[in-house]
Short mmCIF file of all heavy atoms in Angstrom, two decimals:
data_model
loop_
_atom_site.label_atom_id
_atom_site.label_comp_id
_atom_site.label_asym_id
_atom_site.label_seq_id
_atom_site.Cartn_x
_atom_site.Cartn_y
_atom_site.Cartn_z
N GLN A 231 -55.78 -65.33 23.21
CA GLN A 231 -56.60 -64.91 22.09
C GLN A 231 -57.99 -65.60 22.24
O GLN A 231 -58.09 -66.76 22.57
CB GLN A 231 -56.01 -65.28 20.82
CG GLN A 231 -56.48 -64.48 19.56
CD GLN A 231 -55.54 -64.72 18.41
OE1 GLN A 231 -55.37 -65.87 17.98
NE2 GLN A 231 -55.08 -63.73 17.76
N ARG A 232 -59.03 -64.81 22.05
CA ARG A 232 -60.45 -65.29 22.16
C ARG A 232 -61.20 -64.87 20.93
O ARG A 232 -60.89 -63.91 20.35
CB ARG A 232 -61.12 -64.81 23.45
CG ARG A 232 -60.36 -65.22 24.77
CD ARG A 232 -60.62 -66.70 25.08
NE ARG A 232 -62.00 -67.08 25.06
CZ ARG A 232 -62.86 -66.88 26.16
NH1 ARG A 232 -62.39 -66.42 27.27
NH2 ARG A 232 -64.10 -67.36 26.09
N TYR A 233 -62.17 -65.66 20.69
CA TYR A 233 -63.17 -65.20 19.49
C TYR A 233 -64.15 -64.28 20.18
O TYR A 233 -64.84 -64.67 21.25
CB TYR A 233 -63.86 -66.39 18.97
CG TYR A 233 -63.09 -67.06 17.99
CD1 TYR A 233 -62.36 -68.35 18.25
CD2 TYR A 233 -62.87 -66.67 16.59
CE1 TYR A 233 -61.59 -68.96 17.39
CE2 TYR A 233 -62.17 -67.35 15.77
CZ TYR A 233 -61.47 -68.53 16.08
OH TYR A 233 -60.66 -69.06 15.13
N TYR A 234 -64.27 -63.08 19.70
CA TYR A 234 -65.32 -62.17 20.24
C TYR A 234 -66.66 -62.32 19.52
O TYR A 234 -66.73 -62.87 18.42
CB TYR A 234 -64.88 -60.72 20.14
CG TYR A 234 -64.65 -60.12 18.75
CD1 TYR A 234 -65.75 -59.83 17.87
CD2 TYR A 234 -63.48 -59.81 18.34
CE1 TYR A 234 -65.57 -59.21 16.70
CE2 TYR A 234 -63.17 -59.18 17.03
CZ TYR A 234 -64.29 -58.99 16.29
OH TYR A 234 -64.11 -58.41 15.02
N SER A 235 -67.68 -61.83 20.19
CA SER A 235 -69.03 -61.88 19.69
C SER A 235 -69.70 -60.58 20.20
O SER A 235 -70.24 -60.44 21.22
CB SER A 235 -69.95 -63.04 20.13
OG SER A 235 -71.13 -63.07 19.58
N LEU A 236 -69.49 -59.45 19.39
CA LEU A 236 -69.95 -58.06 19.75
C LEU A 236 -71.37 -57.83 19.44
O LEU A 236 -71.88 -57.94 18.41
CB LEU A 236 -69.02 -57.12 19.11
CG LEU A 236 -67.60 -57.21 19.21
CD1 LEU A 236 -66.88 -55.95 18.49
CD2 LEU A 236 -67.13 -57.11 20.72
N THR A 237 -72.05 -57.39 20.59
CA THR A 237 -73.40 -56.99 20.65
C THR A 237 -73.49 -55.50 20.63
O THR A 237 -72.49 -54.76 20.61
CB THR A 237 -74.22 -57.50 21.69
OG1 THR A 237 -73.74 -57.00 23.02
CG2 THR A 237 -74.08 -59.05 21.76
N GLY A 238 -74.67 -54.95 20.57
CA GLY A 238 -74.91 -53.53 20.64
C GLY A 238 -74.32 -52.79 21.80
O GLY A 238 -73.54 -51.74 21.73
N SER A 239 -74.36 -53.43 22.93
CA SER A 239 -73.84 -52.89 24.19
C SER A 239 -72.29 -52.90 24.15
O SER A 239 -71.66 -51.92 24.54
CB SER A 239 -74.30 -53.72 25.40
OG SER A 239 -75.64 -53.58 25.63
N ASP A 240 -71.73 -53.96 23.66
CA ASP A 240 -70.27 -53.90 23.39
C ASP A 240 -69.74 -52.84 22.60
O ASP A 240 -68.74 -52.10 22.81
CB ASP A 240 -69.75 -55.30 22.77
CG ASP A 240 -70.09 -56.53 23.69
OD1 ASP A 240 -69.99 -56.27 24.92
OD2 ASP A 240 -70.45 -57.53 23.17
N VAL A 241 -70.51 -52.55 21.48
CA VAL A 241 -70.17 -51.44 20.56
C VAL A 241 -70.27 -50.04 21.26
O VAL A 241 -69.37 -49.28 21.09
CB VAL A 241 -71.13 -51.51 19.29
CG1 VAL A 241 -70.76 -50.29 18.43
CG2 VAL A 241 -70.75 -52.81 18.43
N VAL A 242 -71.33 -49.90 22.07
CA VAL A 242 -71.47 -48.59 22.67
C VAL A 242 -70.34 -48.36 23.68
O VAL A 242 -69.78 -47.43 23.81
CB VAL A 242 -72.85 -48.61 23.46
CG1 VAL A 242 -72.95 -47.38 24.35
CG2 VAL A 242 -73.99 -48.49 22.39
N THR A 243 -69.94 -49.48 24.41
CA THR A 243 -68.91 -49.40 25.34
C THR A 243 -67.53 -48.98 24.69
O THR A 243 -66.72 -48.08 25.07
CB THR A 243 -68.75 -50.70 26.09
OG1 THR A 243 -69.98 -50.96 26.74
CG2 THR A 243 -67.58 -50.53 27.09
N ILE A 244 -67.24 -49.76 23.51
CA ILE A 244 -66.07 -49.50 22.77
C ILE A 244 -65.97 -48.08 22.22
O ILE A 244 -64.93 -47.44 22.31
CB ILE A 244 -65.88 -50.61 21.59
CG1 ILE A 244 -65.57 -52.01 22.24
CG2 ILE A 244 -64.83 -50.20 20.53
CD1 ILE A 244 -65.72 -53.09 21.21
N VAL A 245 -67.06 -47.73 21.61
CA VAL A 245 -67.21 -46.28 21.07
C VAL A 245 -66.90 -45.22 22.22
O VAL A 245 -66.11 -44.24 21.98
CB VAL A 245 -68.48 -46.09 20.39
CG1 VAL A 245 -68.72 -44.59 20.06
CG2 VAL A 245 -68.53 -46.74 19.05
N GLN A 246 -67.47 -45.43 23.44
CA GLN A 246 -67.25 -44.48 24.46
C GLN A 246 -65.76 -44.44 24.90
O GLN A 246 -65.23 -43.35 25.09
CB GLN A 246 -68.11 -44.78 25.67
CG GLN A 246 -67.97 -43.61 26.70
CD GLN A 246 -68.13 -44.26 28.14
OE1 GLN A 246 -67.45 -45.30 28.47
NE2 GLN A 246 -68.68 -43.46 29.08
N GLN A 247 -65.12 -45.59 24.95
CA GLN A 247 -63.72 -45.69 25.27
C GLN A 247 -62.87 -45.02 24.23
O GLN A 247 -61.91 -44.38 24.42
CB GLN A 247 -63.32 -47.12 25.64
CG GLN A 247 -63.97 -47.64 26.82
CD GLN A 247 -63.74 -46.98 28.13
OE1 GLN A 247 -62.54 -46.82 28.52
NE2 GLN A 247 -64.80 -46.57 28.80
N ALA A 248 -63.25 -45.28 23.07
CA ALA A 248 -62.49 -44.68 21.98
C ALA A 248 -62.71 -43.16 21.91
O ALA A 248 -61.70 -42.39 21.61
CB ALA A 248 -62.95 -45.20 20.59
N LEU A 249 -63.87 -42.62 22.22
CA LEU A 249 -64.04 -41.19 22.30
C LEU A 249 -63.30 -40.52 23.45
O LEU A 249 -62.85 -39.34 23.38
CB LEU A 249 -65.58 -40.79 22.44
CG LEU A 249 -66.39 -41.01 21.19
CD1 LEU A 249 -67.89 -40.90 21.56
CD2 LEU A 249 -66.10 -39.93 20.30
N TYR A 250 -63.08 -41.35 24.50
CA TYR A 250 -62.30 -40.66 25.66
C TYR A 250 -60.80 -40.63 25.42
O TYR A 250 -60.23 -39.62 25.85
CB TYR A 250 -62.61 -41.65 26.94
CG TYR A 250 -62.19 -41.02 28.29
CD1 TYR A 250 -63.19 -40.24 28.92
CD2 TYR A 250 -60.93 -41.27 28.77
CE1 TYR A 250 -62.84 -39.65 30.10
CE2 TYR A 250 -60.63 -40.63 30.03
CZ TYR A 250 -61.53 -39.89 30.62
OH TYR A 250 -61.25 -39.32 31.85
N ASP A 251 -60.33 -41.48 24.66
CA ASP A 251 -58.86 -41.49 24.30
C ASP A 251 -58.47 -40.60 23.19
O ASP A 251 -58.87 -40.81 22.04
CB ASP A 251 -58.41 -42.92 23.98
CG ASP A 251 -56.86 -43.05 23.92
OD1 ASP A 251 -56.17 -42.11 23.97
OD2 ASP A 251 -56.50 -44.27 23.76
N PRO A 252 -57.68 -39.53 23.41
CA PRO A 252 -57.22 -38.62 22.31
C PRO A 252 -56.57 -39.32 21.09
O PRO A 252 -56.60 -38.88 20.00
CB PRO A 252 -56.38 -37.61 23.01
CG PRO A 252 -56.62 -37.55 24.44
CD PRO A 252 -57.08 -39.06 24.60
N ALA A 253 -55.98 -40.49 21.36
CA ALA A 253 -55.33 -41.23 20.39
C ALA A 253 -56.27 -41.90 19.35
O ALA A 253 -55.82 -42.27 18.29
CB ALA A 253 -54.40 -42.34 20.96
N THR A 254 -57.49 -42.07 19.71
CA THR A 254 -58.50 -42.69 18.75
C THR A 254 -59.76 -41.92 18.51
O THR A 254 -60.50 -42.21 17.53
CB THR A 254 -58.91 -44.03 19.51
OG1 THR A 254 -59.53 -43.78 20.72
CG2 THR A 254 -57.71 -44.98 19.64
N ALA A 255 -59.90 -40.75 19.28
CA ALA A 255 -61.22 -40.08 19.21
C ALA A 255 -61.46 -39.48 17.87
O ALA A 255 -62.61 -39.44 17.35
CB ALA A 255 -61.19 -38.97 20.30
N SER A 256 -60.52 -38.93 17.20
CA SER A 256 -60.74 -38.26 15.96
C SER A 256 -61.29 -39.18 14.90
O SER A 256 -61.85 -38.68 13.86
CB SER A 256 -59.57 -37.47 15.52
OG SER A 256 -58.46 -38.34 15.24
N ALA A 257 -60.98 -40.46 15.01
CA ALA A 257 -61.38 -41.41 13.97
C ALA A 257 -62.85 -42.00 14.27
O ALA A 257 -63.35 -42.66 13.38
CB ALA A 257 -60.40 -42.55 13.91
N VAL A 258 -63.34 -41.73 15.40
CA VAL A 258 -64.67 -42.25 15.79
C VAL A 258 -65.78 -41.84 14.90
O VAL A 258 -66.74 -42.64 14.46
CB VAL A 258 -65.06 -42.05 17.22
CG1 VAL A 258 -66.43 -42.41 17.61
CG2 VAL A 258 -64.08 -42.71 18.17
N PRO A 259 -65.92 -40.52 14.53
CA PRO A 259 -66.99 -40.19 13.54
C PRO A 259 -67.04 -41.04 12.30
O PRO A 259 -68.10 -41.51 11.83
CB PRO A 259 -66.81 -38.68 13.36
CG PRO A 259 -66.00 -38.27 14.50
CD PRO A 259 -65.13 -39.41 14.87
N TYR A 260 -65.90 -41.20 11.63
CA TYR A 260 -65.80 -41.99 10.37
C TYR A 260 -66.10 -43.45 10.69
O TYR A 260 -66.90 -44.00 9.95
CB TYR A 260 -64.45 -41.94 9.77
CG TYR A 260 -64.49 -42.59 8.52
CD1 TYR A 260 -64.98 -42.12 7.24
CD2 TYR A 260 -63.72 -43.90 8.42
CE1 TYR A 260 -64.87 -42.72 6.11
CE2 TYR A 260 -63.58 -44.52 7.16
CZ TYR A 260 -64.19 -44.08 6.04
OH TYR A 260 -64.05 -44.54 4.80
N LEU A 261 -65.74 -44.04 11.85
CA LEU A 261 -65.99 -45.26 12.29
C LEU A 261 -67.52 -45.50 12.34
O LEU A 261 -68.15 -46.44 11.79
CB LEU A 261 -65.38 -45.64 13.48
CG LEU A 261 -65.91 -46.90 14.24
CD1 LEU A 261 -65.43 -48.13 13.49
CD2 LEU A 261 -65.43 -46.97 15.79
N LEU A 262 -68.24 -44.53 13.04
CA LEU A 262 -69.60 -44.67 13.20
C LEU A 262 -70.38 -44.62 11.91
O LEU A 262 -71.39 -45.34 11.69
CB LEU A 262 -70.17 -43.52 14.18
CG LEU A 262 -69.81 -43.75 15.55
CD1 LEU A 262 -70.29 -42.57 16.44
CD2 LEU A 262 -70.40 -45.09 16.18
N SER A 263 -69.96 -43.89 10.99
CA SER A 263 -70.59 -43.79 9.67
C SER A 263 -70.54 -45.04 8.97
O SER A 263 -71.50 -45.51 8.38
CB SER A 263 -70.00 -42.58 8.74
OG SER A 263 -68.75 -42.91 8.44
N ARG A 264 -69.47 -45.77 9.08
CA ARG A 264 -69.28 -47.15 8.45
C ARG A 264 -70.02 -48.15 9.10
O ARG A 264 -70.73 -48.97 8.51
CB ARG A 264 -67.84 -47.47 8.35
CG ARG A 264 -66.91 -46.71 7.51
CD ARG A 264 -65.55 -47.26 7.25
NE ARG A 264 -65.67 -48.55 6.56
CZ ARG A 264 -64.67 -49.33 6.43
NH1 ARG A 264 -63.51 -49.15 7.10
NH2 ARG A 264 -64.87 -50.54 5.77
N LEU A 265 -70.04 -48.16 10.43
CA LEU A 265 -70.80 -49.17 11.31
C LEU A 265 -72.34 -49.06 11.07
O LEU A 265 -73.07 -49.94 10.94
CB LEU A 265 -70.55 -48.95 12.76
CG LEU A 265 -69.14 -49.28 13.30
CD1 LEU A 265 -69.06 -49.16 14.74
CD2 LEU A 265 -68.66 -50.66 12.77
N ALA A 266 -72.82 -47.83 10.98
CA ALA A 266 -74.26 -47.63 10.66
C ALA A 266 -74.61 -48.04 9.30
O ALA A 266 -75.79 -48.42 9.12
CB ALA A 266 -74.49 -45.98 10.72
N ASP A 267 -73.73 -48.16 8.28
CA ASP A 267 -73.89 -48.73 7.06
C ASP A 267 -73.80 -50.21 7.00
O ASP A 267 -73.83 -50.77 5.99
CB ASP A 267 -72.92 -48.08 6.01
CG ASP A 267 -73.32 -46.62 5.65
OD1 ASP A 267 -74.39 -46.16 6.02
OD2 ASP A 267 -72.42 -45.80 5.26
N GLY A 268 -73.51 -50.82 8.19
CA GLY A 268 -73.46 -52.19 8.25
C GLY A 268 -71.98 -52.82 8.00
O GLY A 268 -71.88 -54.07 7.95
N GLU A 269 -71.00 -51.95 7.87
CA GLU A 269 -69.69 -52.42 7.71
C GLU A 269 -69.09 -52.81 8.98
O GLU A 269 -68.22 -52.08 9.58
CB GLU A 269 -68.81 -51.40 6.91
CG GLU A 269 -69.34 -50.97 5.49
CD GLU A 269 -68.67 -49.91 4.93
OE1 GLU A 269 -67.35 -49.93 4.87
OE2 GLU A 269 -69.26 -48.98 4.32
N LYS A 270 -69.41 -53.85 9.56
CA LYS A 270 -69.01 -54.24 11.03
C LYS A 270 -67.56 -54.52 11.12
O LYS A 270 -67.04 -54.30 12.20
CB LYS A 270 -69.76 -55.53 11.36
CG LYS A 270 -71.37 -55.22 11.41
CD LYS A 270 -72.08 -56.44 11.92
CE LYS A 270 -72.01 -57.63 11.11
NZ LYS A 270 -72.88 -58.86 11.64
N ASP A 271 -66.90 -54.90 10.26
CA ASP A 271 -65.43 -55.20 10.34
C ASP A 271 -64.61 -53.92 10.69
O ASP A 271 -63.52 -53.99 11.13
CB ASP A 271 -64.86 -55.92 9.13
CG ASP A 271 -65.28 -57.35 9.05
OD1 ASP A 271 -65.75 -57.88 9.91
OD2 ASP A 271 -65.10 -57.96 7.93
N ALA A 272 -65.23 -52.72 10.45
CA ALA A 272 -64.59 -51.57 10.62
C ALA A 272 -64.10 -51.32 12.05
O ALA A 272 -63.20 -50.55 12.44
CB ALA A 272 -65.27 -50.31 10.09
N ILE A 273 -64.92 -51.96 12.99
CA ILE A 273 -64.55 -51.87 14.37
C ILE A 273 -63.33 -52.65 15.05
O ILE A 273 -62.84 -52.40 15.99
CB ILE A 273 -65.84 -52.23 15.24
CG1 ILE A 273 -65.82 -51.52 16.62
CG2 ILE A 273 -65.93 -53.84 15.37
CD1 ILE A 273 -67.05 -51.68 17.48
N ASN A 274 -62.89 -53.59 14.04
CA ASN A 274 -61.77 -54.45 14.59
C ASN A 274 -60.64 -53.69 15.16
O ASN A 274 -60.09 -54.05 16.18
CB ASN A 274 -61.36 -55.34 13.47
CG ASN A 274 -62.45 -56.42 13.00
OD1 ASN A 274 -63.36 -56.62 13.84
ND2 ASN A 274 -62.18 -57.04 11.88
N PRO A 275 -60.05 -52.60 14.46
CA PRO A 275 -58.86 -52.01 15.09
C PRO A 275 -59.13 -51.31 16.39
O PRO A 275 -58.11 -51.00 17.12
CB PRO A 275 -58.41 -51.15 13.99
CG PRO A 275 -59.06 -51.50 12.71
CD PRO A 275 -60.45 -52.23 13.15
N PHE A 276 -60.37 -50.97 16.60
CA PHE A 276 -60.70 -50.21 17.79
C PHE A 276 -60.80 -51.04 18.95
O PHE A 276 -60.74 -50.61 20.17
CB PHE A 276 -62.01 -49.45 17.61
CG PHE A 276 -61.84 -48.26 16.72
CD1 PHE A 276 -61.98 -48.46 15.27
CD2 PHE A 276 -61.76 -47.03 17.20
CE1 PHE A 276 -61.79 -47.41 14.48
CE2 PHE A 276 -61.68 -45.84 16.32
CZ PHE A 276 -61.73 -46.05 14.96
N ILE A 277 -60.93 -52.36 18.92
CA ILE A 277 -61.12 -53.19 20.01
C ILE A 277 -59.93 -53.29 21.01
O ILE A 277 -60.02 -53.07 22.15
CB ILE A 277 -61.59 -54.66 19.55
CG1 ILE A 277 -62.91 -54.62 18.81
CG2 ILE A 277 -61.70 -55.56 20.64
CD1 ILE A 277 -63.21 -55.85 18.14
#
């Protein structure tokens, strides 16, 4: 277990991987709407 420190590049990489995987892709649009509003914790389950 490590403490993460996610930057913009990390987020772009995580989002691309989530979009590629059918198990997570359908939830990405809602995730992005929350992240764009500054709700950063919303990305935790996608990591």
Side-chain angles (χ1 to χ4, degrees):
Q231 200 171 55
R232 299 287 305 275
Y233 282 100
Y234 65 71
S235 183
L236 299 184
T237 63
S239 292
D240 297 325
V241 170
V242 170
T243 304
I244 290 169
V245 167
Q246 189 219 33
Q247 294 300 304
L249 283 169
Y250 195 85
D251 186 354
T254 57
S256 66
V258 170
Y260 183 75
L261 166 69
L262 287 176
S263 69
R264 293 192 67 193
L265 295 181
D267 289 340
E269 299 177 50
K270 295 187 293 184
D271 286 349
I273 202 170
N274 290 345
F276 288 80
I277 297 172

